[in-house]
Amino acid sequence: MTDYASAAQTPWSSYMTSIETVIVQQGVTTVGNHALDGATSLKTVTMPSTMTKIGVDAFAGCSGLTQAYVDRIEGTVEIRGGNMYLTQVLLYKAADN
């Protein structure tokens, strides 16, 4: 995902305060800088096993964010600055298809 200098530069900036759920698709490796900065209605984020980096302030200002579901990740995820406001992180194994 692209890094942004501010949340106002994201293609979804006009919807930012309405976003409640984010599901990052398998194959995506990063959540860019400021990608969801200020998404105050965001409650749940689901990330795939391919995730390797969460950018600076990617989830800053997401005061409603209480859960992040992370598929079993091989290796480590780099989290770069910013507040995530998480109260619960759940690791899970996705269902086999």
Side-chain angles (χ1 to χ4, degrees), residues 35-89:
L36 292 157
D37 185 353
T40 54
S41 296
L42 182 62
K43 294 179 177 93
T44 304
V45 175
T46 302
M47 291 181 256
S49 62
T50 52
M51 187 62 56
T52 60
K53 177 185 163 195
I54 297 173
V56 174
D57 292 337
F59 296 97
C62 296
S63 55
L65 183 57
T66 58
Q67 294 184 331
Y69 298 94
V70 184
D71 198 354
R72 189 175 305 170
I73 293 174
E74 301 295 328
T76 61
V77 177
E78 176 185 359
I79 300 175
R80 306 201 50 185
N83 297 315
M84 290 183 68
Y85 294 99
L86 287 176
T87 59
Q88 184 175 15
V89 176

Side-chain angles (χ1 to χ4, degrees), residues 11-60:
W12 47 87
S13 64
S14 62
Y15 305 102
M16 194 66 78
T17 59
S18 301
I19 298 170
E20 294 183 3
T21 302
V22 170
I23 300 172
V24 181
Q25 296 297 308
Q26 188 69 22
V28 174
T29 58
T30 65
V31 175
N33 297 345
H34 301 283
L36 292 157
D37 185 353
T40 54
S41 296
L42 182 62
K43 294 179 177 93
T44 304
V45 175
T46 302
M47 291 181 256
S49 62
T50 52
M51 187 62 56
T52 60
K53 177 185 163 195
I54 297 173
V56 174
D57 292 337
F59 296 97

